[in-house]
Amino acid sequence: MSYRFRNFAILRHQTYIKKKNKNLKIHSMAFDIEMIKKVYKTMPERVDKAREIVGKPLTLSEKILYAHLWDGNPTTAFRRGKDYVDFAPDRIACQDATAQMALLQFMQAGKSKVAVPTTVHCDHLIQAKQGAVADLKRANETSNEVFEFLASVSNKYGIGFWKPGAGIIHQVVLENYAFPGGMMIGTDSHTVNAGGLGMVAIGVGGADAVDVMAGMAWELKFPKLIGVKLTGNLNGWTASKDVILKVAGILTVKGGTGAIVEYFGPGAKNLSCTGKGTICNMGAEIGATTSTFGYDDSMERFLRATDRAEIADEANKIREYLTGDPEVYENPEQYFDELIEIDLDTLRPHLNGPFTPDLATPVGELGVLAREKGWPIKVDWGLIGSCTNSSYEDLTRAASIAKQAVDKKIKAKSDFGINPGSEQIRYTAERDGILKVFEDLNATIFTNACGPCIGQWDRSDLKGDEKNTIVHSFNRNFSKRADGNPNTHAFVGSPEMVAAIAISGRLDFDPMNDYLINEDGEQIKLDEPRGIELPPQGFDVADAGYVEPVTDGSKVQVYVDPTSERLQLLDPFAPIGNTLRGAQLLIKAFGKCTTDHISMAGPWLRFRGHLDNISNNMLIGAVNAFNKKTNFVKNQLTGDYEGVPDVARAYKAKGIYSIVVGDHNYGEGSSREHAAMEPRHLGVAAVLVKSFARIHETNLKKQGMLGLTFANESDYDLVQEDDTINFLDLDQFAPDKPLTLEFVHNDGSRDVIKANHTYNLSQILWFKEGSALNLIKKENAA
Ligand code: MIC
Ligand code: SF4
């Protein structure tokens, strides 16, 4: 029986009851308002204390961090980028693709309920093909087992459940759960989207979320702070998206690593709340821990429009605590570790790509570059939506362009796809005739879900691996991401720019200067986009798709079929131990190695709840430095070349540990802990790279592995294909003490190198116990 029909005591939240029965005067209430009031009650005292201890005015980021210390009132001034600090986040959000592993781990922790408000959102497992109705029906059939599992675990442990079709996690969080000054973590790297509503919201691996669900502290190295001062006003074709496209161009995909990016200045106040969300969302693409904005009128408007006047009223009472101190914003260079200034008056619209989100080119200059580089000029698809850009404002701005095409008799040259961010947005946009505008241009309205953004796209217009170009308003454009085709050149832009480019069908089109020819042969220039920040008649929705858990979940059964190919209960990992010798090099990865290369999404999303099955995608996208091929590495036992998972399994079968070597920013991208659990499951003991992306490094630590960096970067070049690796001093593994590794080459020669690490004492304990989860279980049993 499907979870939709089961007698779950489905109590729809009062907000939605109210919306359905407009005449009934039911007091609408924000989710978890008591928790929010509690945070606001202690915030002033804690912030004042922190200011005293730090001895200077505080940024917003510091206020939120110091107000969420696990130990309560601040007593120490933490060193940015150095000290590990225990925090107490207010809430957790998980999406279906990562929640499976997170909840499978939580089920082992021995708790009866989650310790902080938590939600699960079904959004990643819905493939875009024919359009919302047919696609959602198919997803409910093909992934029923997984949705059932997530629904029942949620019900059992007191977790709010958002059904498939309810929307994309980050949009639903922004509309329902985010609140100024709050701290949340989420098992998805774009959790940072909630910074648009003034939160410190951070993407983590499932094991981190499990700590907090189990009532423990959450640890993070106290971040560095990057300030971005915005002046002026957005105008013409320039959108919020262009702010982050520009910042990405400046900072690159690793420039934000270990830092919170705090936006401020008069320009920040002029941006809408959802526009701020877009900017924070793509902060994940520069590796930032998170991004945030101070509480202002735009946030207040958004809270009131989304039925959360009560939060706005509470926030107004402590307004000055929910933004940075005035002294900080007056002399930012004294308070931030790095400062960037952007003048919105002169900012130009950008398109970033292909293959990396930081390759920023102003729109008018793209034609020359594309011709020089051989990027196809013809654009096949324009995709609008995703968690990044699917607000009411985004849709209205893009629709204002689409409408001109219809009115002025211009046929769109590319196909159009729209992914609304939530059912509330979709319902409201349909009511207000916005979706109709896109439909008039023959757009396909896909489900309120991730769809093409995560490779859940059955793209029928391509036969093979043809070279082609698409433009989208998503956030990531790594190779193969949208459709699995390595030759799809994806460019990221604002929804209105995507609309204009898709209508023209050309990557070199510059709507500010170029003309289009309509059906009557006339030259037409598109007018500048116009948007509406919030729906003039208010948001509306019939069924938002929320399922409240029962109060007592002790009787709820969670069933995992032992023969399932989609779900598998977890076995604890055995500790690697303190002697590690004779390990084999599995792969020396060359160049960019994102989590998409390590554990691809798309078709593999179906195995996200089954560790052994999903391990068959381990590192199959990584390029072997010795032959520049993917999924083709030497099996040192036989001398044959095989797929990476096969070779790893061969070593594992013989009880031999293996090692992965990589380049810079290894593990960039997603929070998916599969990228760490798969190597752990297949016997990889250590990942040694030039540098790590933050979430991935933590994920490796949590799973009881060694995540190491070359003390001397050029030692990467010493690693040879047939190497055997000995760890010479693992028995002395200690904080701040590099490890010594010996690489024994095929000809018998040896290189001894130093590898740095960032493990503190408790993280070393995770390694010793085999995983962080093993430690939780042990502590719970004691
Ligand atoms: C993504 O955008 O890559 C994802 C899919 O949302 C991931 C999470 C995942 O891999 O499941 C993310 O960003 O963390
Ligand atoms: Fe979904 Fe894409 Fe957003 Fe990730 S980035 S949550 S895949 S819409």
Side-chain angles (χ1 to χ4, degrees):
M1 201 195 303
S2 152
Y3 63 86
R4 282 168 300 156
F5 309 117
R6 212 182 247 172
N7 186 8
F8 255 1
I10 299 181
L11 303 172
R12 227 175 252 136
H13 195 265
Q14 289 187 338
T15 308
Y16 305 114
I17 298 173
K18 180 193 143 208
K19 289 190 160 160
K20 257 192 128 173
N21 307 287
K22 283 220 151 113
N23 301 327
L24 283 181
K25 287 250 175 300
I26 297 178
H27 168 64
S28 100
M29 197 174 56
F31 284 99
D32 306 304
I33 185 72
E34 290 313 315
M35 174 271 280
I36 296 171
K37 283 185 179 163
K38 234 168 97 192
V39 173
Y40 285 176
K41 193 156 174 252
T42 52
M43 190 134 185
E45 188 193 337
R46 291 186 180 185
V47 169
D48 290 342
K49 192 91 198 132
R51 197 183 290 107
E52 194 184 305
I53 286 163
V54 174
K56 55 180 183 183
L58 297 177
T59 59
L60 168 66
S61 313
E62 288 166 301
K63 290 185 186 180
I64 301 179
L65 294 170
Y66 279 105
H68 286 85
L69 298 178
W70 178 254
D71 292 332
N73 265 336
T75 51
T76 325
F78 297 109
R79 291 169 304 164
R80 298 179 191 171
K82 292 219 165 55
D83 294 331
Y84 281 97
V85 180
D86 281 346
F87 290 103
D90 302 315
R91 63 175 316 117
I92 302 172
C94 307
Q95 41 89 339
D96 50 2
T98 49
Q100 298 172 58
M101 214 37 104
L103 296 179
L104 283 163
Q105 294 178 79
F106 179 69
M107 285 161 66
Q108 292 194 22
K111 298 282 177 186
S112 60
K113 237 183 179 18
V114 285
V116 304
T118 302
T119 49
V120 164
H121 304 258
C122 297
D123 53 2
H124 282 63
L125 298 178
I126 303 162
Q127 194 189 48
K129 187 176 180 185
Q130 291 145 286
V133 175
D135 294 350
L136 183 58
K137 182 164 177 288
R138 214 178 43 253
N140 269 321
E141 284 156 16
T142 51
S143 290
N144 183 53
E145 177 187 4
V146 173
F147 295 145
E148 272 265 356
F149 168 75
L150 294 174
S152 61
V153 180
S154 298
N155 203 25
K156 184 169 183 65
Y157 296 105
I159 299 171
F161 180 71
W162 290 78
K163 296 189 288 190
I168 308 176
I169 172 169
H170 312 302
Q171 193 62 36
V172 174
V173 166
L174 197 71
E175 288 169 12
N176 294 278
Y177 298 112
F179 65 98
M183 179 189 244
M184 71 177 282
I185 56 170
T187 60
D188 188 283
S189 59
H190 293 105
T191 303
V192 293
N193 190 65
L197 204 35
M199 286 195 110
V200 160
I202 303 181
V204 298
D208 275 33
V210 169
D211 284 355
V212 180
M213 288 180 200
M216 292 164 39
W218 175 64
E219 189 189 64
L220 177 76
K221 194 185 272 177
F222 202 87
K224 293 195 166 188
L225 300 175
I226 300 177
V228 180
K229 181 172 180 182
L230 302 176
T231 55
N233 268 310
L234 289 177
N235 56 71
W237 280 87
T238 312
S240 302
K241 182 79 156 199
D242 297 305
V243 175
I244 186 61
L245 294 180
K246 176 82 187 166
V247 171
I250 298 171
L251 285 176
T252 79
V253 288
K254 46 181 202 281
T257 308
I260 296 187
V261 183
E262 183 168 325
Y263 292 84
F264 62 94
K269 293 210 171 79
N270 297 337
L271 300 171
S272 65
C273 174
T274 50
K276 293 179 168 90
T278 295
I279 295 173
C280 293
N281 182 303
M282 268 195 78
E285 274 53 69
I286 53 167
T289 302
T290 191
S291 308
T292 193
F293 282 83
Y295 180 55
D296 64 12
D297 295 349
S298 72
M299 297 186 192
E300 180 172 353
R301 288 196 296 277
F302 187 70
L303 283 170
R304 294 192 191 280
T306 48
D307 257 337
R308 289 174 292 169
E310 212 172 349
I311 301 184
D313 293 341
E314 292 297 320
N316 285 345
K317 291 183 198 158
I318 58 159
R319 231 179 151 97
E320 70 272 28
Y321 290 96
L322 303 176
T323 187
D325 285 338
E327 297 87 334
V328 171
Y329 293 160
E330 272 150 32
N331 292 302
E333 59 293 336
Q334 295 175 17
Y335 300 93
F336 290 100
D337 300 294
E338 196 178 333
L339 185 67
I340 294 173
E341 285 198 42
I342 296 179
D343 176 7
L344 302 183
D345 285 333
T346 56
L347 180 66
R348 290 168 60 188
H350 282 67
L351 277 179
N352 285 20
F355 307 122
T356 185
D358 57 352
L359 190 54
T361 311
V363 163
E365 296 167 21
L366 201 61
V368 179
L369 195 66
R371 266 180 279 272
E372 193 184 298
K373 305 268 187 196
W375 303 332
I377 298 284
K378 176 174 168 290
V379 174
D380 290 335
W381 273 87
L383 299 158
I384 292 174
S386 90
C387 63
T388 330
N389 269 113
S390 52
S391 65
Y392 190 81
E393 185 182 38
D394 287 329
L395 294 183
T396 50
R397 279 178 71 87
S400 76
I401 302 303
K403 181 141 186 1
Q404 293 180 52
V406 177
D407 292 350
K408 296 176 184 171
K409 297 206 237 162
I410 308 168
K411 273 219 155 48
K413 303 279 183 317
S414 322
D415 288 323
F416 254 112
I418 314 280
N419 278 85
S422 72
E423 175 57 10
Q424 174 160 278
I425 291 280
R426 192 210 61 78
Y427 189 96
T428 310
E430 179 167 59
R431 181 200 65 191
D432 295 352
I434 300 165
L435 293 187
K436 168 89 176 33
V437 175
F438 294 115
E439 279 161 352
D440 288 345
L441 262 193
N442 282 331
T444 312
I445 313 293
F446 294 123
T447 317
N448 314 314
C450 305
C453 179
I454 189 59
Q456 288 281 35
W457 189 19
D458 189 344
R459 187 176 168 187
S460 49
D461 62 318
L462 283 188
K463 303 278 165 298
D465 280 359
E466 292 146 56
K467 207 166 162 185
N468 74 103
T469 290
I470 63 173
V471 288
H472 61 58
S473 71
F474 307 161
N475 41 35
R476 293 200 171 137
N477 56 353
F478 303 140
S479 165
K480 297 191 191 176
R481 177 156 173 111
D483 59 4
N485 176 358
N487 298 319
T488 292
H489 294 55
F491 292 83
V492 183
S494 69
E496 49 271 44
M497 189 52 71
V498 168
I501 300 267
I503 289 164
S504 76
R506 296 184 63 89
L507 192 60
D508 58 358
F509 179 64
D510 171 3
M512 294 158 292
N513 293 304
D514 297 347
Y515 289 83
L516 296 166
I517 309 289
N518 75 358
E519 284 171 27
D520 300 335
E522 295 160 344
Q523 280 208 335
I524 305 284
K525 185 136 183 278
L526 293 173
D527 298 332
E528 289 172 354
R530 287 186 177 280
I532 306 172
E533 182 184 326
L534 294 161
Q537 300 174 56
F539 283 109
D540 209 351
V541 69
D543 176 2
Y546 174 68
V547 183
E548 181 124 321
V550 291
T551 321
D552 175 8
S554 60
K555 304 258 160 21
V556 177
Q557 297 287 327
V558 175
Y559 178 66
V560 174
D561 179 351
T563 65
S564 169
E565 58 153 27
R566 304 276 312 255
L567 296 165
Q568 181 187 42
L569 294 173
L570 293 171
D571 285 328
F573 292 127
I576 289 167
N578 59 11
T579 42
L580 184 54
R581 286 176 174 271
Q584 300 291 327
L585 178 75
L586 178 61
I587 181 171
K588 175 169 161 180
F590 171 79
K592 210 174 182 63
C593 193
T594 71
T595 46
D596 281 354
H597 298 83
I598 307 171
S599 174
M600 190 176 281
W604 291 91
L605 283 175
R606 60 188 278 104
F607 298 123
R608 282 288 183 88
H610 197 297
L611 183 54
D612 194 52
N613 284 347
I614 197 160
S615 294
N616 291 329
N617 80 357
M618 185 186 76
L619 285 158
I620 61 175
V623 176
N624 178 356
F626 301 108
N627 56 21
K628 305 288 186 292
K629 293 190 176 154
T630 53
N631 205 24
F632 199 65
V633 294
K634 188 165 182 181
N635 177 341
Q636 300 196 41
L637 300 173
T638 60
D640 295 338
Y641 282 83
E642 295 165 289
V644 186
D646 302 321
V647 175
R649 284 189 195 273
Y651 294 147
K652 185 181 173 185
K654 289 262 183 287
I656 302 171
Y657 278 114
S658 56
I659 308 293
V660 170
V661 169
D663 214 306
H664 272 301
N665 210 19
Y666 182 90
E668 155 191 358
S670 157
S671 67
R672 60 189 79 143
E673 62 199 322
H674 305 79
M677 292 179 87
E678 293 173 25
R680 179 74 166 104
H681 175 63
L682 296 189
V684 175
V687 178
L688 171 63
V689 298
K690 291 187 189 167
S691 64
F692 279 113
R694 174 188 61 87
I695 306 180
H696 186 64
E697 182 179 17
T698 310
N699 285 346
L700 291 171
K701 291 178 179 178
K702 285 264 167 183
Q703 301 303 336
M705 304 169 71
L706 293 170
L708 309 173
T709 50
F710 289 102
N712 179 359
E713 241 177 71
S714 58
D715 287 349
Y716 172 91
D717 301 329
L718 298 175
V719 179
Q720 296 176 20
E721 193 170 21
D722 298 283
D723 282 354
T724 299
I725 301 104
N726 300 319
F727 285 71
L728 302 184
D729 51 8
L730 191 55
D731 53 335
Q732 292 154 45
F733 191 17
D736 301 319
K737 183 177 180 300
L739 290 172
T740 317
L741 276 61
E742 178 184 56
F743 283 76
V744 184
H745 310 303
N746 207 11
D747 61 2
S749 65
R750 287 154 200 264
D751 279 300
V752 174
I753 69 153
K754 289 281 179 205
N756 291 338
H757 69 81
T758 59
Y759 289 71
N760 60 22
L761 268 182
S762 48
Q763 294 169 341
I764 290 178
L765 220 54
W766 302 342
F767 174 74
K768 296 209 159 131
E769 289 297 330
S771 72
L773 186 61
N774 287 352
L775 190 65
I776 300 186
K777 278 198 325 206
K778 195 165 158 187
E779 285 170 1
N780 271 340

